[in-house]
Structure formats: structure tokens, C-alpha cells
Amino acid sequence: MPPLMGIEFLCRVADVLSEYLGGLNEDVIKDNFVIVYELLDEMIDNGFPLTTEPNILREMIAPPNIVSKVLSVVTGNSSNVSDTLPGATGSCVPWRAADPKYANNEVYVDLVEEMDAVINRDGVLVKCEIYGEVQVNSHLSGLPDLTLSFANPSILDDVRFHPCVRFRPWESHQLLSFVPPDGEFKLMSYRVKKLKSTPIYVKPQLTSDAGKCRVNVLVGIKNDPGKTIDSITLQFQLPPCILSADLTSNHGTVNILSNKICSWSIGRIPKDKAPSLTGTLVLETELERLHVFPTFRVGFRIMGVALSGLQIDKLDLKTVPNRLYKGFRALTRAGEFEVRS
């Protein structure tokens, strides 16, 4: 067996259970163990992966809700399995429901990107890359055949596709040709490596002597992406040797949580001043200076722009139905964004 097949199948199982149960932990599985057994029974057969597409599984096994749980208690019948097999299971496109019909035909494409960056204590960008996903929400009648093209596909690395994507058009012309599943799905994921800059800067300064440590952190816009940067947050773990902390900011709110994590919620950066966090940390009595310096984790969100520079060129349908609506959006947020002090 190819080793990655086992890993891929386990990832599929985790995704399907998360989607069905609204999360994945021990308590959720205990509360819904009948549905978990039913799903595993359909997803793997005699050791071979069988039906792993969420849209088809939903037709076979109804997701849990309050009504079904009450009925199972009253009637004693806990099975959610449908009596009939979905028509798509025997077709050449098993990820798509058989011949759906819509009054309004819609397809929406979202570029969702996360920026991973590491900035060292001298302010030098050590690593900066984007992990991105092309998410599609499709409500199209019949059996649509779509082609999605990018203006600059050469920047993409480590591409990974949904099973509906035909590989040859991508290999020869970097075109995504596919018959989409019905509803929401992840069409592809990708990386864009070796980016040169980040949208915001964080400048921490920590100086310690005489059993105290003075903290001063500045945050501001470094490269304006042309859209509003909001939901900016800054978190850092206070070292174990800190007895108490007195921290204030000129913008946003500062909270020190019970697990010694300091959380600064900035929101949007105002135009008239750069947000700053200042204060004093008191060290343990036998310590003169701070020897363990914290790492700052940054969060942000930018609606309407993909910082990788990836651009969608066009989306075509071979047979265009009546009343077709197409839409494109982009979103970039912080992933593992670290600033070291």
C-alpha cells in the first residue's frame, strides 16, 4: 500500500467527522458513536477506501440533529442510514449528486490564504510563505463542466487537488478542468514560497535590570495591501520567572490570561498614531535580568486581497445554463506568524 494513502484516508475521515459532528474530540465521538460506525462502514470496505465524498455520504447517512436524536430515543431505532443508494455512487463522477436542479445557477470561488512568517530579533524576515486554498461553492443544474484559469499559475508550489480535477490539462496548460461536487468543497490547495515582505511590522523592545523588565512593543503597517487590515491581535507567553505584569496600550485592550498568556486585541490600526504596548514585568526575587525572551504571535485579516499575488483569470462553463451567477472573493489571514525578541 502507498504510505500516503493511509495518511490521506485518515485525513478524510477526520474531515468528514468534523463536518458531520461540528467538531472532533472524545466527547463528540462518544455522543455520536452510532453515526461514526455508520460512516466508517461506508468509507472503508474490507480495508479499501470506498465512499469518502461528504456530499454523497450525506445522502446515505443523515447528519445528526435534535429531531433524529429524540426519535431514536422514542422509537429505539438509532440508524440514520438511507434505504436507497444515491445514484452518484454508480456513476463516473461519484462526488456529485445525480442530476440536481436549480432555478438560479450559481458558482462562487474564494481564494483563502494564510501567511506563515518568522521574523528574528533583529527585525530580519527569516521565512515568509503563503498556504492557500481555492474554495468553491457550486449550485449548478445537471452535469456542468468548468474550466478555471489563473493569470500567474507559475508562482504556485506544492499543489494538491480535489479528485474531480483532471490532471492532464493542469500538467500541460495549468488549467483546472473539473466537474464540481454539489455545494461547498476545496478545489485545490497550494503554497507560494519566499515572499519578500509582510503587511504589518511588530517591533518589540525588552530591557531588564534590577529585577524588572521594561516592555515596549510597536505595531504598524509596513506594506499597505490596498485593503483594510483588521482583527489584528498580538499574543505572547510570559516566561515562568515573571511574578507579575503591569501592561497598558494606547489603542485596543490588553488582557493577561490565567495561563500567563498576554493577549493584545488591536482591531484596526488608526491613521493618527501607531499602537504601542508598554509596561513592566517583575521578576522572581533572585533574578536580576530576564534570560528567556518571549515570542510574539501575530494575527490579522485582510478581506479582498490575496497577498501571494495569485489572480484568477476566468471561469468558463462548457454549457452555460440560464441565469448563471459567478463570483470571486479573496481573503488573507495570519497563520504561524512569529516575531522573536
Side-chain angles (χ1 to χ4, degrees):
M1 182 182 99
L4 282 175
M5 190 173 87
I7 295 168
E8 175 65 21
F9 178 72
L10 289 172
C11 290
R12 287 287 178 93
V13 170
D15 289 344
V16 166
L17 292 179
S18 297
E19 209 169 299
Y20 257 78
L21 310 177
L24 192 57
N25 58 50
E26 189 179 350
D27 294 332
V28 167
I29 288 176
K30 281 180 179 176
D31 292 343
N32 299 277
F33 73 92
V34 173
I35 282 188
V36 171
Y37 270 105
E38 289 169 351
L39 285 168
L40 289 175
D41 208 31
E42 297 295 344
M43 292 184 75
I44 196 160
D45 184 30
N46 199 27
F48 291 94
L50 188 65
T51 306
T52 58
E53 191 57 46
N55 292 323
I56 304 304
L57 286 168
R58 265 192 230 102
E59 289 186 47
M60 290 178 166
I61 301 163
N65 55 43
I66 298 296
V67 176
S68 67
K69 285 181 179 178
V70 171
L71 280 173
S72 70
V73 171
V74 173
T75 62
N77 177 20
S78 57
S79 176
N80 289 36
V81 180
S82 169
D83 295 330
T84 57
L85 199 62
T89 52
S91 77
C92 59
V93 281
W95 53 82
R96 186 170 177 81
D99 201 28
K101 287 185 169 52
Y102 295 99
N104 291 328
N105 289 279
E106 305 169 328
V107 56
Y108 300 107
V109 180
D110 291 348
L111 291 181
V112 180
E113 298 190 339
E114 288 190 350
M115 176 174 273
D116 298 338
V118 174
I119 297 163
N120 70 13
R121 60 184 299 171
D122 299 320
V124 178
L125 190 63
V126 177
K127 180 191 109 170
C128 185
E129 63 181 38
I130 293 277
Y131 170 78
E133 293 180 355
V134 180
Q135 297 176 357
V136 179
N137 191 359
S138 164
H139 298 286
L140 298 169
S141 304
L143 197 68
D145 201 325
L146 303 178
T147 305
L148 178 68
S149 60
F150 299 106
N152 49 348
S154 59
I155 66 171
L156 300 179
D157 285 311
D158 301 340
V159 289
R160 182 169 172 241
F161 301 112
H162 187 279
C164 70
V165 176
R166 301 179 182 102
F167 192 60
R168 280 190 178 174
W170 175 263
E171 210 173 25
S172 54
H173 301 103
Q174 273 74 55
L175 292 174
L176 290 173
S177 174
F178 58 100
V179 175
D182 202 35
E184 296 181 14
F185 67 100
K186 183 171 77 175
L187 180 65
M188 70 176 285
S189 62
Y190 59 87
R191 284 190 189 279
V192 178
K193 298 177 181 176
K194 296 180 182 176
L195 293 171
K196 304 293 185 193
S197 63
T198 59
I200 61 176
Y201 67 81
V202 176
K203 293 180 178 175
Q205 280 187 326
L206 285 86
T207 53
S208 63
D209 54 30
K212 289 186 178 180
C213 177
R214 284 175 293 282
V215 178
N216 183 20
V217 184
L218 283 175
V219 177
I221 295 175
K222 187 175 184 181
N223 291 295
D224 192 346
K227 299 282 184 181
T228 304
I229 307 174
D230 60 12
S231 303
I232 299 173
T233 59
L234 192 77
Q235 282 193 343
F236 63 96
Q237 177 79 52
L238 294 174
C241 59
I242 300 296
L243 291 178
S244 64
D246 179 23
L247 299 168
T248 57
S249 67
N250 65 352
H251 183 79
T253 56
V254 181
N255 292 305
I256 297 175
L257 309 177
S258 57
N259 53 359
K260 277 193 166 183
I261 288 180
C262 176
S263 176
W264 180 21
S265 297
I266 300 169
R268 295 182 181 180
I269 292 177
K271 292 181 179 177
D272 55 340
K273 60 182 176 183
S276 67
L277 174 77
T278 54
T280 307
L281 309 177
V282 178
L283 311 183
E284 290 176 344
T285 48
E286 65 272 13
L287 281 177
E288 279 287 311
R289 302 167 63 86
L290 188 65
H291 299 291
V292 180
F293 291 92
T295 297
F296 295 84
R297 293 184 177 276
V298 185
F300 61 82
R301 186 184 66 174
I302 311 170
M303 298 291 293
V305 66
L307 286 183
S308 66
L310 183 66
Q311 294 178 328
I312 293 174
D313 184 24
K314 59 184 176 179
L315 177 66
D316 291 329
L317 274 81
K318 281 192 178 173
T319 52
V320 180
N322 296 327
R323 290 187 181 178
L324 174 66
Y325 300 101
K326 294 188 284 188
F328 305 99
R329 291 186 305 187
L331 161 69
T332 302
R333 54 180 174 236
E336 292 289 323
F337 196 110
E338 293 184 353
V339 180
R340 294 171 183 169
S341 61

